[in-house]
Amino acid sequence: MDTANTPLSAGYHDVAPDMLATIVTCLEMTARPALRANPPTDGLTVERWHSPSLDDYRALYRRVGEDWLWVSRAVMADDALLAIIGDPAVEIYAMMRDGERLGLLELDFREAVQCELSFFGLDQSLIGAGAGRILMNVAIEKAWEKPIQRFWVHTCHLDHPAALAFYQRSGFKPYKRMVEIFEDPRQTGKLRADAAQHFPILKSE
């Protein structure tokens, strides 16, 4: 992800009706933090997911991300996505219960001495029940097992409203803010039309 951009000028900036605008916050940690205590696991485990198929990966990606307007991996060309999820420097984990995948964790070590928390998401049924802490503790442990100097993540205001505070409680510190403008995937059929009802669709007159 390229975070070097030209700052916007002060004032209001129109966004086309078929586009979305979101405020992105980048956060980082430069040393391994003390882990917060895990809640009871309630049958949940986190397992390394080696060589997921495209269909299985996209199914979980949509399951945890569609209501937060995750779209990049859903529409990415097959060969480009395979190159990422098949790269040995990218580690993918699934949160499991009774053989069912209910959470996605993806760690990207492709940049030297750093790790990006590329994707972190849970099925709606697990949000608010402590599963996020279990998954985050795994993320921190796995990231800092490597000789990294920086662990970073970005979130935006289309994500769960508690996401930013959760990352900060986990030891990440905000360091940059950006505005992202992108095509509304619900208006193009790339995501279902009723996804992300907390962020309304604007129709052109």
Side-chain angles (χ1 to χ4, degrees):
M1 177 183 175
D2 185 4
T3 61
N5 301 283
T6 302
L8 288 172
S9 59
Y12 293 98
H13 300 269
D14 283 346
V15 178
D18 61 342
M19 305 293 282
L20 294 173
T22 182
I23 299 171
V24 178
T25 301
C26 297
L27 306 98
E28 65 182 358
M29 58 173 72
T30 55
R32 180 173 181 158
L35 296 182
R36 298 172 70 95
N38 272 336
T41 59
D42 194 25
L44 294 169
T45 60
V46 180
E47 301 176 11
R48 181 77 182 270
W49 194 8
H50 294 281
S51 303
S53 71
L54 286 176
D55 286 346
D56 287 344
Y57 178 91
R58 284 185 172 132
L60 182 58
Y61 178 89
R62 284 182 176 273
R63 179 170 189 166
V64 304
E66 194 163 32
D67 279 326
W68 313 111
L69 294 176
W70 291 14
V71 68
S72 61
R73 297 290 174 83
V75 301
M76 185 178 289
D78 288 355
D79 57 349
L81 180 54
L82 279 172
I84 295 172
I85 65 177
D87 193 308
V90 175
E91 297 184 4
I92 302 171
Y93 298 83
M95 175 162 271
M96 309 287 295
R97 178 188 281 156
D98 299 326
E100 186 177 15
R101 297 185 188 96
L102 298 171
L104 174 65
L105 165 63
E106 189 169 322
L107 302 174
D108 188 338
F109 295 93
R110 290 178 295 171
E111 292 290 330
V113 301
Q114 65 178 306
C115 176
E116 179 184 359
L117 178 54
S118 300
F119 292 101
F120 183 96
L122 298 169
D123 181 79
Q124 290 275 14
S125 65
L126 296 183
I127 294 175
R133 177 54 51 202
I134 296 170
L135 194 61
M136 178 56 73
N137 282 347
V138 171
I140 292 170
E141 288 179 332
K142 296 299 182 182
W144 289 102
E145 282 178 358
K146 303 288 197 302
I148 64 170
Q149 298 174 5
R150 176 176 179 258
F151 186 28
W152 76 282
V153 64
H154 69 274
T155 185
C156 73
H157 84 282
L158 296 177
D159 285 336
H160 191 283
L164 182 56
F166 174 78
Y167 288 130
Q168 292 178 273
R169 287 196 304 274
S170 300
F172 290 96
K173 298 184 184 304
Y175 69 92
K176 185 179 180 69
R177 187 173 292 121
M178 302 178 290
V179 174
E180 181 183 12
I181 297 177
F182 63 101
E183 182 181 65
D184 188 340
R186 299 166 299 181
Q187 298 197 48
T188 60
K190 294 174 180 176
L191 294 184
R192 67 178 199 274
D194 64 345
Q197 295 188 24
H198 64 292
F199 206 81
I201 294 175
L202 298 180
K203 295 290 190 181
S204 299
E205 296 297 334

